[in-house]
Amino acid sequence: MEAKKKKRTGNARVTAFFIGSMHQPNIEIVHFIISQLADLCGHMDFIIAGPCGDDFSHVDKKNINLLGQIDEKEKLQLFSEVNIAINPASFGTGTNIKTLEFLSAGIPLVSTQVGVRGLHLVQGTHYLHAEKENFAMTLNRISGNKALLEKIALHGQSYVNQTYSWEGIAKKLKEQIDSL
């Protein structure tokens, strides 16, 4: 999954992005963003895409933008424009494809341990770690640190594209076959 190169706007407001299906962990994340993060991170705009936000269409907060279902072209456009991807998951199963997509697109990620489970990411190198209790504090602390966000985005993108891209997987498989 390759997104366009970043063309971050000079906008003074930081944009945080979440996307998800109509799956209970995603719905709870949207509730958390709306009920807590939006108020505690007033300098940020939260963009939420996917059906996970459908139950919250009545919400009227200036810094919440519920997009609903988007297509691949719209998703890639958003990936090129947002400042930070967030994944404040507290439960769920399996690997978070959204995490791989965010990192592959070169978006700095703030996530809980649940949001990066199974991917062998290093906190502080590939992503920025926060749990729900300190998620807003972490976002507020790092949102203006462009150098840190760029470093995290670069390392996360490099790691994911080398480790989880089809090319990276094929290379590892070839190495294993050759060693046999």
Side-chain angles (χ1 to χ4, degrees), residues 13 30-42 44-48 56-66:
R13 294 195 52 89
V30 174
H31 180 264
F32 174 70
I33 293 168
I34 291 170
S35 67
Q36 293 187 43
L37 295 183
D39 294 332
L40 296 172
C41 303
M44 299 181 76
D45 290 321
F46 292 89
I47 300 170
I48 301 166
F56 302 92
S57 60
H58 64 281
V59 171
D60 185 24
K61 290 190 177 189
K62 288 183 180 182
N63 62 341
I64 296 288
N65 185 1
L66 296 165

Short mmCIF file of all heavy atoms in Angstrom, two decimals, residues 13 30-42 44-48 56-66:
data_model
loop_
_atom_site.label_atom_id
_atom_site.label_comp_id
_atom_site.label_asym_id
_atom_site.label_seq_id
_atom_site.Cartn_x
_atom_site.Cartn_y
_atom_site.Cartn_z
N ARG A 13 -3.52 24.13 12.59
CA ARG A 13 -4.20 23.06 13.32
C ARG A 13 -3.65 21.71 12.90
O ARG A 13 -3.41 21.44 11.74
CB ARG A 13 -5.70 23.13 13.06
CG ARG A 13 -6.26 24.42 13.67
CD ARG A 13 -7.74 24.46 13.81
NE ARG A 13 -8.39 23.37 14.48
CZ ARG A 13 -8.62 23.29 15.79
NH1 ARG A 13 -8.19 24.24 16.59
NH2 ARG A 13 -9.29 22.29 16.30
N VAL A 30 -14.04 5.49 18.33
CA VAL A 30 -14.71 6.73 17.92
C VAL A 30 -15.35 7.40 19.13
O VAL A 30 -15.23 8.62 19.31
CB VAL A 30 -15.75 6.48 16.80
CG1 VAL A 30 -16.53 7.76 16.50
CG2 VAL A 30 -15.06 5.95 15.55
N HIS A 31 -15.99 6.62 19.98
CA HIS A 31 -16.58 7.17 21.20
C HIS A 31 -15.51 7.84 22.06
O HIS A 31 -15.70 8.93 22.59
CB HIS A 31 -17.30 6.08 21.99
CG HIS A 31 -17.93 6.58 23.25
ND1 HIS A 31 -17.31 6.48 24.48
CD2 HIS A 31 -19.10 7.23 23.46
CE1 HIS A 31 -18.07 7.02 25.39
NE2 HIS A 31 -19.16 7.49 24.81
N PHE A 32 -14.36 7.20 22.20
CA PHE A 32 -13.25 7.74 22.98
C PHE A 32 -12.74 9.05 22.37
O PHE A 32 -12.50 10.03 23.09
CB PHE A 32 -12.13 6.70 23.05
CG PHE A 32 -10.87 7.18 23.71
CD1 PHE A 32 -10.83 7.42 25.07
CD2 PHE A 32 -9.72 7.39 22.96
CE1 PHE A 32 -9.65 7.86 25.69
CE2 PHE A 32 -8.55 7.82 23.56
CZ PHE A 32 -8.52 8.06 24.93
N ILE A 33 -12.61 9.09 21.06
CA ILE A 33 -12.14 10.31 20.39
C ILE A 33 -13.12 11.45 20.65
O ILE A 33 -12.72 12.56 21.03
CB ILE A 33 -11.98 10.08 18.88
CG1 ILE A 33 -10.83 9.10 18.61
CG2 ILE A 33 -11.73 11.41 18.15
CD1 ILE A 33 -10.77 8.59 17.16
N ILE A 34 -14.40 11.18 20.47
CA ILE A 34 -15.42 12.22 20.61
C ILE A 34 -15.61 12.64 22.07
O ILE A 34 -15.69 13.83 22.37
CB ILE A 34 -16.76 11.74 20.01
CG1 ILE A 34 -16.62 11.65 18.48
CG2 ILE A 34 -17.91 12.66 20.40
CD1 ILE A 34 -17.78 10.96 17.79
N SER A 35 -15.66 11.67 22.98
CA SER A 35 -15.98 11.99 24.37
C SER A 35 -14.78 12.48 25.17
O SER A 35 -14.97 13.15 26.19
CB SER A 35 -16.61 10.78 25.07
OG SER A 35 -15.66 9.74 25.19
N GLN A 36 -13.56 12.17 24.73
CA GLN A 36 -12.39 12.57 25.52
C GLN A 36 -11.36 13.36 24.72
O GLN A 36 -11.04 14.49 25.07
CB GLN A 36 -11.75 11.35 26.15
CG GLN A 36 -12.66 10.72 27.20
CD GLN A 36 -11.97 9.61 27.95
OE1 GLN A 36 -10.81 9.72 28.32
NE2 GLN A 36 -12.68 8.53 28.17
N LEU A 37 -10.83 12.76 23.67
CA LEU A 37 -9.73 13.41 22.95
C LEU A 37 -10.12 14.76 22.36
O LEU A 37 -9.34 15.71 22.44
CB LEU A 37 -9.19 12.50 21.84
CG LEU A 37 -8.52 11.21 22.28
CD1 LEU A 37 -7.97 10.46 21.08
CD2 LEU A 37 -7.43 11.47 23.31
N ALA A 38 -11.30 14.86 21.79
CA ALA A 38 -11.72 16.12 21.16
C ALA A 38 -11.70 17.28 22.15
O ALA A 38 -11.28 18.39 21.81
CB ALA A 38 -13.10 15.98 20.54
N ASP A 39 -12.12 17.02 23.38
CA ASP A 39 -12.15 18.08 24.39
C ASP A 39 -10.78 18.36 24.98
O ASP A 39 -10.44 19.51 25.25
CB ASP A 39 -13.13 17.70 25.52
CG ASP A 39 -14.57 17.64 25.04
OD1 ASP A 39 -14.91 18.36 24.08
OD2 ASP A 39 -15.34 16.85 25.62
N LEU A 40 -9.98 17.33 25.16
CA LEU A 40 -8.67 17.49 25.79
C LEU A 40 -7.59 17.94 24.82
O LEU A 40 -6.52 18.37 25.25
CB LEU A 40 -8.24 16.18 26.45
CG LEU A 40 -9.14 15.73 27.62
CD1 LEU A 40 -8.75 14.33 28.07
CD2 LEU A 40 -9.05 16.72 28.77
N CYS A 41 -7.87 17.83 23.52
CA CYS A 41 -6.91 18.24 22.47
C CYS A 41 -7.62 19.24 21.55
O CYS A 41 -7.77 19.01 20.35
CB CYS A 41 -6.44 17.04 21.67
SG CYS A 41 -5.68 15.73 22.65
N GLY A 42 -8.03 20.35 22.11
CA GLY A 42 -8.81 21.34 21.38
C GLY A 42 -8.10 21.98 20.21
O GLY A 42 -8.74 22.53 19.32
N MET A 44 -6.49 20.37 18.00
CA MET A 44 -6.42 19.37 16.94
C MET A 44 -7.78 19.15 16.31
O MET A 44 -8.81 19.27 16.97
CB MET A 44 -5.93 18.03 17.52
CG MET A 44 -4.56 18.08 18.12
SD MET A 44 -4.03 16.47 18.76
CE MET A 44 -3.62 15.67 17.23
N ASP A 45 -7.75 18.79 15.03
CA ASP A 45 -8.95 18.35 14.33
C ASP A 45 -8.87 16.85 14.18
O ASP A 45 -7.84 16.32 13.76
CB ASP A 45 -9.05 19.01 12.95
CG ASP A 45 -9.34 20.50 13.06
OD1 ASP A 45 -10.13 20.89 13.94
OD2 ASP A 45 -8.78 21.27 12.26
N PHE A 46 -9.95 16.15 14.51
CA PHE A 46 -10.01 14.70 14.41
C PHE A 46 -10.86 14.31 13.22
O PHE A 46 -12.04 14.65 13.16
CB PHE A 46 -10.57 14.10 15.70
CG PHE A 46 -9.65 14.28 16.87
CD1 PHE A 46 -9.74 15.41 17.67
CD2 PHE A 46 -8.67 13.33 17.16
CE1 PHE A 46 -8.87 15.61 18.73
CE2 PHE A 46 -7.80 13.52 18.21
CZ PHE A 46 -7.89 14.66 18.99
N ILE A 47 -10.24 13.63 12.27
CA ILE A 47 -10.93 13.16 11.07
C ILE A 47 -11.16 11.66 11.25
O ILE A 47 -10.21 10.90 11.46
CB ILE A 47 -10.10 13.44 9.81
CG1 ILE A 47 -9.85 14.94 9.68
CG2 ILE A 47 -10.79 12.88 8.57
CD1 ILE A 47 -8.84 15.30 8.60
N ILE A 48 -12.43 11.27 11.17
CA ILE A 48 -12.80 9.87 11.37
C ILE A 48 -13.50 9.39 10.11
O ILE A 48 -14.50 9.96 9.69
CB ILE A 48 -13.73 9.71 12.59
CG1 ILE A 48 -13.02 10.23 13.85
CG2 ILE A 48 -14.18 8.27 12.74
CD1 ILE A 48 -13.93 10.43 15.05
N PHE A 56 -22.50 8.13 15.31
CA PHE A 56 -22.18 9.39 15.97
C PHE A 56 -22.49 10.60 15.08
O PHE A 56 -22.01 11.71 15.34
CB PHE A 56 -20.70 9.41 16.37
CG PHE A 56 -20.33 8.26 17.28
CD1 PHE A 56 -19.85 7.07 16.75
CD2 PHE A 56 -20.50 8.37 18.65
CE1 PHE A 56 -19.52 6.01 17.58
CE2 PHE A 56 -20.17 7.31 19.49
CZ PHE A 56 -19.69 6.13 18.95
N SER A 57 -23.31 10.41 14.06
CA SER A 57 -23.58 11.49 13.11
C SER A 57 -24.26 12.70 13.78
O SER A 57 -24.19 13.81 13.26
CB SER A 57 -24.44 10.99 11.95
OG SER A 57 -25.67 10.49 12.43
N HIS A 58 -24.84 12.51 14.93
CA HIS A 58 -25.51 13.59 15.67
C HIS A 58 -24.52 14.50 16.41
O HIS A 58 -24.87 15.57 16.87
CB HIS A 58 -26.49 13.01 16.68
CG HIS A 58 -25.80 12.19 17.74
ND1 HIS A 58 -25.36 10.90 17.51
CD2 HIS A 58 -25.42 12.49 19.01
CE1 HIS A 58 -24.77 10.45 18.60
NE2 HIS A 58 -24.78 11.38 19.52
N VAL A 59 -23.27 14.07 16.51
CA VAL A 59 -22.26 14.82 17.27
C VAL A 59 -21.93 16.11 16.55
O VAL A 59 -21.69 16.13 15.34
CB VAL A 59 -20.99 13.96 17.48
CG1 VAL A 59 -19.86 14.79 18.07
CG2 VAL A 59 -21.31 12.77 18.36
N ASP A 60 -21.91 17.20 17.31
CA ASP A 60 -21.61 18.51 16.74
C ASP A 60 -20.48 19.15 17.54
O ASP A 60 -20.73 19.93 18.47
CB ASP A 60 -22.87 19.39 16.75
CG ASP A 60 -22.64 20.72 16.06
OD1 ASP A 60 -21.75 20.82 15.21
OD2 ASP A 60 -23.37 21.69 16.39
N LYS A 61 -19.25 18.79 17.20
CA LYS A 61 -18.07 19.38 17.82
C LYS A 61 -17.22 19.95 16.70
O LYS A 61 -17.03 19.30 15.67
CB LYS A 61 -17.27 18.34 18.62
CG LYS A 61 -17.97 17.89 19.88
CD LYS A 61 -17.05 17.07 20.75
CE LYS A 61 -17.78 16.70 22.04
NZ LYS A 61 -16.88 16.09 23.01
N LYS A 62 -16.72 21.15 16.93
CA LYS A 62 -15.96 21.84 15.88
C LYS A 62 -14.75 21.06 15.40
O LYS A 62 -14.36 21.18 14.24
CB LYS A 62 -15.50 23.22 16.37
CG LYS A 62 -16.61 24.23 16.48
CD LYS A 62 -16.05 25.57 16.89
CE LYS A 62 -17.17 26.58 16.99
NZ LYS A 62 -16.65 27.91 17.33
N ASN A 63 -14.12 20.30 16.27
CA ASN A 63 -12.90 19.61 15.88
C ASN A 63 -13.09 18.12 15.55
O ASN A 63 -12.14 17.36 15.52
CB ASN A 63 -11.80 19.79 16.93
CG ASN A 63 -12.15 19.21 18.28
OD1 ASN A 63 -13.31 18.97 18.60
ND2 ASN A 63 -11.13 18.99 19.10
N ILE A 64 -14.34 17.74 15.27
CA ILE A 64 -14.64 16.37 14.84
C ILE A 64 -15.23 16.42 13.44
O ILE A 64 -16.19 17.14 13.18
CB ILE A 64 -15.67 15.69 15.79
CG1 ILE A 64 -15.11 15.53 17.19
CG2 ILE A 64 -16.15 14.36 15.21
CD1 ILE A 64 -14.03 14.47 17.33
N ASN A 65 -14.63 15.63 12.54
CA ASN A 65 -15.13 15.54 11.17
C ASN A 65 -15.38 14.07 10.86
O ASN A 65 -14.44 13.30 10.68
CB ASN A 65 -14.11 16.15 10.19
CG ASN A 65 -14.63 16.19 8.77
OD1 ASN A 65 -15.75 15.80 8.49
ND2 ASN A 65 -13.79 16.66 7.87
N LEU A 66 -16.65 13.69 10.84
CA LEU A 66 -17.05 12.30 10.55
C LEU A 66 -17.32 12.17 9.06
O LEU A 66 -18.28 12.76 8.55
CB LEU A 66 -18.30 11.93 11.35
CG LEU A 66 -18.13 11.93 12.86
CD1 LEU A 66 -19.49 11.92 13.57
CD2 LEU A 66 -17.31 10.74 13.30
#
